[in-house]
């Protein structure tokens, strides 16, 4: 199975597993809620049942107290309890707590601050079954009977008695004996027992029912916990399988072996081990491409050896001349044709030996080197025999291609010309073929590596934005993303060096804020140094201009390469940058306290594919970083030097030519994190790519912006869709079957109805020639693979005027002070002289951030922080 198909399948499986975990979590929460509700119902029911029992006890206590004391307060409380229970008076908010015991004195009055609601209504709302409610009702009815006895006793002490109809209409002398007999007699106790008997039965039924509910809820929670554990375990196993089997075994491990093999091939070492093609995927195709390159490289080496043998065995005479026209080498055939031994001619002048009859006294250098072609030329042999020749002469120039250093002359007898020319032509064609194979290999490697990397990095970026992934899984996704970025950087280094060797690197000077660039570099490496326990400092001399003109991109690349190298080999101490300016040159020195280098290592430190070997340190990378840095500095009319001592550290010093600028309109800070699109206005975009994973990546990204998309897998489908739909923009892959992206773009730009549609070319071939071909065929913009979300967003903003809502990101501004001023401020800070510091800030031209920062520290009396800050700027 192809990697892109495998990644899509794993994405679907992982997504399904995540959805299952989320579903089980929701069911688990629902079960917990049910358990909590069961406990709440149990508690609420107990409170209501207890209130019924407590109200009966309160009524008994109040009636007996009234009978004994005769106080009307207890009789009033007695009737208040009945009214609250029957819903005739408001129920106090905290009635289920201890209430009436606090109102036994005359001056205490109860606060009835709740709603009017009968106890029976509360029982119904609590959801009691009918059989339990009937028990509660029976208890309440029995309580009412007891209340009648209590009422009869309380009226007896007032001298009020019942008539035959049961109404209290008869008035006599108070009968305290009757009242006490009623309140303490057998009838009263029987009534009291009658209340508690159904209440006791209710408690039994209630406890059985509520405990059953609680047990059922507990069982459900345990079941959900089991399901959740199984789902999480499955997800972990799935992720480990994906990472170990797919990422490590099928991608990283074979690619590392490929990388080592490619480095050896670059050094013309043909004895390399390549991984086996176990799976018929993109990595296997890459292995096949490396095998082809290896075979072609072997052919190239054999061709070079063959050329050397041809020089010795060739039927033509071949000799070389220096800039003054003296022989520097001569092959055996030339010696035989001329009759001289090669030693007899080496160091002799051509115009004084075999060609003395061809030159006049005032002959020019090119003529004396036989670089001016003339017909019917002849040479003179040692025995003064003149014979006609046919020759080819080739100039030899210095590295800068301006100084003529000599020539190579190939000559032959006219009769054998055709034969020898054909042999040389054949050898030349073989060499050219091998060189073309190398170029094709680099192009194919770039395309084959970047195509799967585009899907890996793209879908990983989408997963990083997901809100349904746990932190531990996010860390793993970040590891995949950083590994992909590391692999991409290795590929870019190899391609960068290939461009340098081919002379395709251009230096493009631009105006920019040097301090802002240095601030970004400082921010980038400060945190990385802190993570290793290193001190990082950036010291800018007052001679350094704020605005300059040079190639900003290449200067950033140079600084990052050297600092990254220092960070790699430094485990304690510091990394320090000192920057000065002199005579239109920027002077930079980067020092560290790392492992250092020996004298032998210093000799090869700037050579490609060389890495310093040290047993205690493991080095990663291609060994091209410093070689690329040296080439870039030299192309910027500068030079670089290195000083180092073993176990002491190293210092890399370089200078480049710059031009001071008075002012630069600075670009706005680039936002990285997109939250959402403000408006899309029904935009339609066509995505054309023969690789489904790359189409899916772009489509998911655009759909997240609420942009409508249509897909096409080749140029023919693009033309078919154009006939049926109107599109606002087209993302066009270059390499597609049937009709490729270049030809499709050319056709669309020639049609009146489609020529104004913006076309953004996307390709894994990232050489400048590929970009120029796309633009020459009508593409409006070029994006290399792998691309990032911000590249797509910038393209949409440029051509469709789409507004994005970004996540606000805080930037760290750097404190900038000249050395002399920093010393003065540090001295005043030790004296706690804030007013003098403020005067210095007013008198000198200082940026607003620095001024605000120091003023804030003064206002907060943080003079120790001012001292540390100022001292760090000039140490």
């Amino acid at each position: 199975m192809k990697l892109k198909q495998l990644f899509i399948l794993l994405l679907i499986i992982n997504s399904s597993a995540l959805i299952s975990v989320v579903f089980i979590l929701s069911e688990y929460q629902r079960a917990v809620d049910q358990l909590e509700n069961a406990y709440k119902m149990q508690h609420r029911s107990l409170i209501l049942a207890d209130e019924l029992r407590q109200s009966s006890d309160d009524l008994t206590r109040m009636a007996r107290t009234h009978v004994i004391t005769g106080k009307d307060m207890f009789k009033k409380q007695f009737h208040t309890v009945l009214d609250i229970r029957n819903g005739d008076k408001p129920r106090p908010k905290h009635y289920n707590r201890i209430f009436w015991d606090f109102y036994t004195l005359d001056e205490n009055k109860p606060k009835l601050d709740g709603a009017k609601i009968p106890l029976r209504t509360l029982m119904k709302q609590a959801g009691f079954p009918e059989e339990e409610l009937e028990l509660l009702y029976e208890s309440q009815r029995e309580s009412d009977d007891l209340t009648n006895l209590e009422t009869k006793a309380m009226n007896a002490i007032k001298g009020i008695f019942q008539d035959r109809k049961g109404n209290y209409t008869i008035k006599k002398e108070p009968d305290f004996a009757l009242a006490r007999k009623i309140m303490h007699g057998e009838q009263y106790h029987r009534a009291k027992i009658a209340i508690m008997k159904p209440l006791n039965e209710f408690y039994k039924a209630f406890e059985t029912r509520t405990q059953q509910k609680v047990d059922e809820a507990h069982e459900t929670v345990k079941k959900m916990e089991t399901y959740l554990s199984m789902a999480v375990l499955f997800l972990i196993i799935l992720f480990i399988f994906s990472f170990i089997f797919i990422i490590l075994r099928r991608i990283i491990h074979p690619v590392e072996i490929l990388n080592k093999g490619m480095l050896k091939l670059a050094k013309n070492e043909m004895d390399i081990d390549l991984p086996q093609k176990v799976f018929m995927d993109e990595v296997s195709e890459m292995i096949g491409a490396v095998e082809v390159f290896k075979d072609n490289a072997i052919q190239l080496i054999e061709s070079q050896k063959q050329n050397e043998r041809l020089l010795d065995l060739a039927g033509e005479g071949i000799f070389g001349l220096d800039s003054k026209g003296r022989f520097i080498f001569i092959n055996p055939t030339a010696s035989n044709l001329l009759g001289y031994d090669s030693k007899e001619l080496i160091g002799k002048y051509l115009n004084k030996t075999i060609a003395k009859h061809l030159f006049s006294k005032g002959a020019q250098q090119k003529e004396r080197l036989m670089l001016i072609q003339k017909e019917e030329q002849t040479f003179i042999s040692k025995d003064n025999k003149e014979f006609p020749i046919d020759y080819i002469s080739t100039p030899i120039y210095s590295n800068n291609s301006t100084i003529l250093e000599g020539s190579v002359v190939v000559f032959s007898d006219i009769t054998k010309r055709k034969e020898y020319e054909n042999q040389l032509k054949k050898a030349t064609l073989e060499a050219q073929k091998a060189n073309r194979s190398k170029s094709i290999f680099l192009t194919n490697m770039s395309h084959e590596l970047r195509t799967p990397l585009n899907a890996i990095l793209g879908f990983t970026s989408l997963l990083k934005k997901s809100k349904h992934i746990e932190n531990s899984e996010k860390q793993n996704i970040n590891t995949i993303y950083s590994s992909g970025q590391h692999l991409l950087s290795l590929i870019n280094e190899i391609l960068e060096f290939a461009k340098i060797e081919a002379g395709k690197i251009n230096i493009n000077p631009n105006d920019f804020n040097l301090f802002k660039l240095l601030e970004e570099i400082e921010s980038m490496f400060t945190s990385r140094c802190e993570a290793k326990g290193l001190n990082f400092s950036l010291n800018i001399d007052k001679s350094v201009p704020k605005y300059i003109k040079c190639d900003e991109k290449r200067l950033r690349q140079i600084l990052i390469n050297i600092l990254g190298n220092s960070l790699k080999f430094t485990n304690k101490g510091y990394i320090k940058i000192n920057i000065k300016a002199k005579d239109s040159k920027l002077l930079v020195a980067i020092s560290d306290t790392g492992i250092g280098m020996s004298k032998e290592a210093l000799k090869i430190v700037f050579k490609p594919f060389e890495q310093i070997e040290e047993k205690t340190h493991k080095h990663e990378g291609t060994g091209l970083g410093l070689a690329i840095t040296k080439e870039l500095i030299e192309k910027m009319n500068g030079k670089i030097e290195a000083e180092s001592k073993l176990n002491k550290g190293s210092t890399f010093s370089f200078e480049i030519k710059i031009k001071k600028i008075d002012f630069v309109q600075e670009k706005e800070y680039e936002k990285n994190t997109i939250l959402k699109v403000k408006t899309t206005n029904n935009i339609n975009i066509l995505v054309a790519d023969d690789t489904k994973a790359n189409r899916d990546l772009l489509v998911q990204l655009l759909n997240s912006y609420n942009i409508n998309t249509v897909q096409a897998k080749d140029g023919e489908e693009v033309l078919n869709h154009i006939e049926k739909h109107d599109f606002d923009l087209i993302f066009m892959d270059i390499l597609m079957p049937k009709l490729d992206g270049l030809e499709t773009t050319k056709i669309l730009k020639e049609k009146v109805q489609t020529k104004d549609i913006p076309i953004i070319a996307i390709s894994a071939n990232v050489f400048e020639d590929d970009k120029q071909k796309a633009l020459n065929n009508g593409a409006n913009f070029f994006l290399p693979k792998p691309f990032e979300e911000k590249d797509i967003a910038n393209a949409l903003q440029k051509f469709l005027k789409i507004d994005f809502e970004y996540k606000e990101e805080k930037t760290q501004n750097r404190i900038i002070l000249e050395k002399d001023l920093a010393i003065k401020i540090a001295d005043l800070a030790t004296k706690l002289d804030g007013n003098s510091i403020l005067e210095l800030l007013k008198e000198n031209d200082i940026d607003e951030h620095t001024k605000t920062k120091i003023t804030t520290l003064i206002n907060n009396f943080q003079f120790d922080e001012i001292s540390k800050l100022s001292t760090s700027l000039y140490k």
Side-chain angles (χ1 to χ4, degrees):
M1 182 183 290
K2 294 285 187 179
L3 283 175
K4 57 187 178 183
Q5 298 170 341
L6 191 56
F7 270 102
I8 292 172
L9 178 60
L10 286 175
L11 180 62
I12 294 172
I13 295 174
N14 276 281
S15 299
S16 301
L18 281 174
I19 292 171
S20 300
V21 170
V22 173
F23 174 77
I24 294 172
L25 275 173
S26 65
E27 289 297 313
Y28 174 79
Q29 184 59 45
R30 193 158 66 90
V32 171
D33 290 342
Q34 289 177 352
L35 178 60
E36 184 178 352
N37 290 335
Y39 278 123
K40 286 181 179 179
M41 180 192 71
Q42 188 180 48
H43 176 68
R44 188 167 57 249
S45 301
L46 283 171
I47 288 174
L48 292 175
D50 186 68
E51 182 182 335
L52 179 61
R53 182 191 60 77
Q54 183 63 39
S55 65
S56 179
D57 291 342
D58 286 338
L59 289 171
T60 299
R61 177 176 57 80
M62 291 170 185
R64 285 177 173 176
T65 304
H66 177 70
V67 168
I68 294 170
T69 63
K71 288 185 178 182
D72 290 334
M73 178 186 73
F74 293 104
K75 182 177 182 180
K76 186 177 180 181
Q77 288 181 356
F78 179 88
H79 291 291
T80 302
V81 171
L82 290 177
D83 292 339
I84 290 173
R85 191 166 70 178
N86 297 328
D88 296 326
K89 286 187 178 181
R91 176 180 298 272
K93 289 183 178 179
H94 303 293
Y95 198 56
N96 57 334
R97 301 179 186 172
I98 299 171
F99 187 82
W100 290 108
D101 291 336
F102 295 105
Y103 299 99
T104 58
L105 301 177
D106 292 335
E107 64 272 12
N108 292 333
K109 294 184 179 180
K111 184 179 180 181
L112 308 180
D113 53 356
K116 292 181 180 180
I117 182 168
L119 182 58
R120 285 198 175 198
T121 302
L122 290 175
M123 292 176 177
K124 289 183 179 179
Q125 291 176 353
F128 290 105
E130 287 296 329
E131 57 271 22
E132 291 180 12
L133 277 175
E134 187 57 37
L135 290 171
L136 290 174
Y137 292 161
E138 182 181 348
S139 177
Q140 187 174 2
R141 286 193 298 270
E142 295 295 338
S143 179
D144 292 338
D145 292 338
L146 184 64
T147 300
N148 290 331
L149 289 174
E150 291 166 343
T151 301
K152 186 176 181 180
M154 286 189 293
N155 283 329
I157 67 172
K158 296 290 185 178
I160 301 173
F161 301 94
Q162 288 177 308
D163 56 16
R164 292 180 179 180
K165 294 181 179 180
N167 297 322
Y168 292 93
T169 59
I170 301 172
K171 292 184 179 182
K172 296 179 181 180
E173 287 295 323
D175 191 347
F176 291 96
L178 176 62
R180 285 192 295 272
K181 181 180 179 181
I182 292 173
M183 293 302 299
H184 296 281
E186 184 177 345
Q187 183 181 4
Y188 186 89
H189 289 299
R190 289 183 182 277
K192 194 72 173 177
I193 292 171
I195 294 173
M196 295 304 164
K197 188 175 181 180
L199 194 59
N200 186 53
E201 294 298 322
F202 161 78
Y203 276 127
K204 291 180 181 179
F206 160 78
E207 287 175 355
T208 302
R209 176 176 59 83
T210 54
Q211 189 59 44
Q212 182 180 358
K213 290 284 186 180
V214 170
D215 292 342
E216 290 175 355
H218 267 297
E219 187 65 28
T220 304
V221 169
K222 288 182 180 179
K223 187 183 298 183
M224 289 298 105
E225 288 176 344
T226 302
Y227 291 161
L228 183 61
S229 300
M230 294 173 63
V232 171
L233 180 62
F234 172 76
L235 194 61
I236 293 171
I237 294 172
L238 180 63
F239 180 81
I240 293 173
F241 170 81
S242 302
F243 183 78
I244 294 177
F245 181 74
I246 304 302
I247 304 299
L248 293 181
R249 184 180 176 190
R250 292 191 59 171
I251 299 178
I252 295 178
H253 179 66
V255 169
E256 285 180 345
I257 298 176
L258 275 179
N259 182 54
K260 293 178 182 177
M262 291 165 62
L263 293 176
K264 286 187 176 181
L265 287 176
K267 297 179 182 179
N268 290 333
E269 297 178 13
M270 299 298 113
D271 186 18
I272 64 171
D273 296 323
L274 296 177
Q276 296 182 352
K277 294 188 285 187
V278 179
F279 307 98
M280 298 309 295
D281 55 15
E282 292 84 352
V283 175
S284 297
E285 293 173 0
M286 290 161 54
I287 296 171
V290 174
E291 290 175 345
V292 172
F293 175 77
K294 176 183 175 182
D295 295 336
N296 291 337
I298 293 173
Q299 292 179 14
L300 176 60
I301 293 173
E302 289 298 323
S303 177
Q304 291 174 342
K305 292 180 180 179
Q306 180 68 18
N307 288 339
E308 293 176 359
R309 290 194 292 268
L310 284 174
L311 285 175
D312 294 336
L313 303 174
E316 294 92 354
I318 304 173
F319 59 85
L321 303 174
D322 63 11
S323 60
K324 295 182 179 180
R326 295 175 295 196
F327 289 97
I328 54 176
F329 75 88
I330 180 169
N331 75 337
T333 301
S335 297
N336 293 332
L337 290 174
L338 296 172
Y340 288 92
D341 186 82
S342 61
K343 296 180 180 179
E344 293 178 297
L345 289 177
I346 299 298
K348 300 293 180 62
Y349 286 92
L350 175 68
N351 61 346
K352 293 181 180 180
T353 53
I354 64 174
K356 54 187 177 182
H357 62 295
L358 299 178
F359 306 108
S360 60
K361 291 184 179 180
Q364 297 178 354
Q365 183 188 25
K366 285 190 175 183
E367 186 178 359
R368 285 186 277 110
L369 294 178
M370 296 188 71
L371 294 175
I372 298 177
Q373 190 71 32
K374 295 182 179 180
E375 296 180 0
E376 299 180 356
Q377 297 281 32
T378 58
F379 282 161
I380 299 175
S381 62
K382 184 176 181 180
D383 57 2
N384 289 322
K385 179 181 178 182
E386 187 175 340
F387 60 95
I389 63 165
D390 190 11
Y391 73 96
I392 299 174
S393 59
T394 304
I396 301 175
Y397 290 99
S398 62
N399 290 334
N400 57 18
S401 301
T402 58
I403 300 175
L404 184 62
E405 292 186 343
S407 65
V408 175
V409 179
V410 179
F411 71 95
S412 63
D413 201 333
I414 290 293
T415 56
K416 298 181 179 180
R417 180 184 61 188
K418 296 293 181 182
E419 178 183 351
Y420 297 152
E421 283 182 350
N422 288 338
Q423 291 181 7
L424 186 60
K425 184 177 180 180
K426 183 178 179 181
T428 303
L429 288 174
E430 289 177 357
Q432 292 175 348
K433 180 180 178 181
N435 282 326
R436 282 196 301 271
S437 297
K438 179 180 179 181
S439 299
I440 293 171
F441 167 75
L442 287 174
T443 302
N444 289 340
M445 284 300 296
S446 172
H447 184 273
E448 294 301 324
L449 286 168
R450 287 172 179 273
T451 297
L453 271 178
N454 188 57
I456 293 170
L457 294 176
F459 282 115
T460 305
S461 296
L462 290 178
L463 282 174
K464 286 172 67 179
K465 295 172 66 176
S466 175
K467 297 180 180 178
H468 302 292
I469 298 178
E470 296 180 357
N471 290 333
S472 59
E473 295 168 341
K474 284 185 178 179
Q475 182 62 39
N476 294 329
I477 291 170
N478 288 333
T479 300
I480 297 173
Y481 186 82
S482 61
S483 299
Q485 289 287 0
H486 176 64
L487 179 58
L488 180 61
S489 67
L490 295 179
I491 298 167
N492 288 336
E493 278 194 353
I494 295 174
L495 293 178
E496 186 84 345
F497 192 74
K499 290 180 183 179
I500 290 175
E501 281 191 322
K504 294 183 178 181
I505 290 293
N506 297 320
I507 300 299
N508 301 309
N510 63 292
D511 301 343
F512 65 96
N513 185 339
L514 176 60
F515 285 5
K516 186 174 182 180
L517 169 62
L518 295 176
E519 179 183 337
E520 293 173 2
I521 295 295
E522 182 183 34
S523 176
M524 182 187 306
F525 282 92
T526 297
S527 59
R528 294 171 65 182
C529 286
E530 288 176 353
K532 290 187 70 174
L534 304 176
N535 292 323
F536 181 84
S537 61
L538 171 62
N539 307 312
I540 304 174
D541 191 75
K542 61 182 180 180
S543 61
V544 178
K546 183 176 182 180
Y547 303 109
I548 65 170
K549 182 174 185 177
C550 74
D551 193 324
E552 179 185 10
K553 174 185 174 183
R554 297 303 179 186
L555 178 56
R556 180 185 283 104
Q557 184 178 356
I558 290 167
L559 290 171
I560 291 174
N561 279 354
I562 299 177
L563 286 169
N565 200 64
S566 293
L567 187 63
K568 184 192 301 182
F569 295 103
T570 304
N571 294 319
K572 61 181 180 179
Y574 65 82
I575 296 176
K576 179 169 60 178
I577 310 177
N578 292 318
I579 303 179
K580 298 180 180 180
K582 183 180 178 182
D583 300 332
S584 299
K585 289 184 178 179
L586 189 68
L587 310 176
V588 182
I590 299 176
S591 304
D592 62 61
T593 54
I595 63 173
M597 292 178 283
S598 63
K599 292 181 179 179
E600 292 75 16
L602 276 173
K603 294 177 182 179
I604 63 171
V605 70
F606 293 114
K607 291 185 178 181
F609 305 107
E610 295 288 351
Q611 291 184 326
I612 308 304
E613 296 296 332
E614 218 283 323
K615 292 182 179 179
T616 60
H617 292 81
K618 181 182 179 182
H619 312 319
E620 298 178 349
T622 59
L624 293 173
L626 291 177
I628 293 172
T629 298
K630 182 176 182 293
E631 292 289 340
L632 291 175
I633 290 173
E634 290 177 351
K635 282 187 173 291
M636 297 173 75
N637 299 318
K639 61 181 180 180
I640 184 170
E641 297 176 347
E643 298 177 1
S644 185
K645 290 184 179 180
L646 274 175
N647 301 319
K648 296 292 184 181
S650 306
T651 298
F652 288 85
S653 304
F654 71 89
E655 62 179 49
I656 57 172
K657 190 174 181 180
I658 62 171
K659 182 179 179 182
K660 182 179 178 181
I661 303 298
D662 294 331
F663 179 75
V664 174
Q665 182 66 41
E666 300 183 38
K667 297 179 181 178
E668 293 183 1
Y669 173 71
E670 183 180 60
K671 308 174 184 71
N672 292 321
T673 306
I674 298 173
L675 292 178
K676 62 181 179 180
V677 179
K678 292 183 179 179
T679 177
T680 55
N681 296 326
N682 197 25
I683 292 174
N684 297 313
I685 292 181
L686 177 60
V687 177
D689 198 307
D690 62 319
T691 304
K692 186 178 184 302
N694 290 333
R695 291 200 308 271
D696 291 342
L697 174 60
L698 256 177
V699 167
Q700 288 186 30
L701 193 57
L702 294 172
N703 289 345
S704 70
Y705 302 156
N706 294 324
I707 293 176
N708 303 320
T709 56
V710 176
Q711 300 184 42
K713 63 178 179 294
D714 55 48
E716 291 182 359
E717 284 194 7
V718 170
L719 298 179
N720 291 334
H721 287 311
I722 287 291
E723 296 293 330
K724 301 175 183 178
H725 308 284
D726 293 326
F727 295 101
D728 301 290
L729 185 141
I730 300 174
F731 285 103
M732 183 80 71
D733 187 29
I734 297 302
L735 295 179
M736 294 190 294
K738 297 181 181 179
L739 192 63
D740 65 23
L742 293 177
E743 195 62 32
T744 306
T745 300
K746 189 175 181 181
I747 293 171
L748 293 175
K749 289 299 179 180
E750 288 175 352
K751 292 183 178 182
V752 177
Q753 60 270 33
T754 58
K755 65 183 181 64
D756 294 328
I757 300 176
I759 297 178
I760 299 176
I762 301 180
S763 178
N765 293 335
V766 296
F767 288 100
E768 188 63 26
D769 294 341
D770 302 308
K771 175 182 177 181
Q772 203 56 48
K773 282 180 184 178
L775 298 178
N776 291 341
N777 279 272
N780 300 89
F781 195 67
F782 181 86
L783 278 181
K785 293 179 182 177
F787 51 77
E788 296 185 16
E789 182 179 3
K790 65 179 181 180
D791 299 325
I792 301 300
N794 290 337
L796 295 175
Q797 283 184 315
K798 181 176 182 180
F799 294 101
L800 299 181
K801 310 301 181 185
I802 293 178
D803 292 328
F804 291 89
E805 184 174 320
Y806 295 90
K807 178 181 180 182
E808 294 185 3
E809 298 182 4
K810 297 181 180 178
T811 58
Q812 294 181 345
N813 294 317
R814 189 171 60 83
I815 302 300
I816 303 173
L817 285 174
E818 294 182 359
K819 182 177 179 181
D820 294 339
L821 186 58
I823 293 173
K824 291 179 182 179
I825 291 177
D827 183 56
L828 291 171
T830 59
K831 300 175 182 178
L832 306 181
D833 191 353
N835 292 330
S836 298
I837 296 175
L838 292 174
E839 287 297 323
L840 282 177
L841 296 179
K842 291 179 182 178
E843 294 170 1
N844 292 273
D845 184 17
I846 302 172
D847 72 283
E848 287 300 317
H849 172 72
T850 302
K851 191 179 296 183
T852 303
K853 177 67 175 178
I854 296 177
T855 302
T856 302
L857 291 174
I858 291 173
N859 294 334
N860 293 326
F861 302 98
Q862 294 178 288
F863 290 95
D864 57 335
E865 291 296 325
I866 298 174
S867 179
K868 291 178 184 177
L869 186 65
S870 303
T871 304
S872 67
L873 296 175
Y874 64 80
K875 271 191 173 181

